[in-house]
């Protein structure tokens, strides 16, 4: 991988902490070989994914998007992309 590639994996989630933990654990294995950062957008206004996200060792930016729906969650993730991002992966 080029030193100039900046990959960001974005995850939209809504009230599914067990599945989110499973996904983050899986991505942690990949992260050992491929550098990336993450953005987790919690579509639950109550922030039900905060604890699972905070417990991960991955480099994660966490945010709540109260407007329901995948479009709002993806747009929130795009708003948080670092300027130097070269590749974006959406995981729903």
């Amino acid at each position: 991988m080029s030193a100039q590639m900046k990959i960001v994996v974005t995850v939209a989630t809504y009230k599914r902490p067990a599945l989110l933990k499973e996904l983050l654990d899986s991505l942690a294995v990949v992260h050992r070989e491929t550098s990336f950062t993450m953005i987790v957008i919690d579509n639950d206004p109550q922030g039900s994914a905060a604890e699972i996200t905070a417990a991960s060792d991955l480099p994660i930016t966490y945010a709540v998007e109260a407007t329901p729906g995948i479009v709002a969650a993806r747009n929130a993730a795009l708003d948080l992309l670092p300027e130097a991002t070269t590749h974006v992966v959406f995981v729903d």
Side-chain angles (χ1 to χ4, degrees):
M1 179 172 75
S2 168
Q4 294 159 334
M5 284 181 46
K6 302 293 182 189
I7 302 168
V8 179
V9 176
T10 68
V11 176
T13 189
Y14 179 74
K15 294 186 178 181
R16 49 185 179 179
L19 290 174
L20 178 61
K21 181 180 181 335
E22 186 177 327
L23 173 65
L24 295 178
D25 289 348
S26 176
L27 288 172
V29 173
V30 175
H31 191 261
R32 292 182 198 134
E33 295 187 23
T34 303
S35 178
F36 59 86
T37 59
M38 293 192 64
I39 299 172
V40 173
I41 301 297
D42 193 347
N43 221 192
D44 176 8
Q46 303 302 313
S48 60
E51 188 175 319
I52 297 297
T53 304
S56 175
D57 290 334
L58 290 165
I60 298 175
T61 298
Y62 171 81
V64 172
E65 175 51 60
T67 303
I70 192 67
V71 173
R74 284 185 174 175
N75 284 336
L78 291 173
D79 288 344
L80 293 174
L81 287 178
E83 189 174 313
T85 302
T86 60
H87 295 74
V88 179
V89 178
F90 289 98
V91 179
D92 303 323

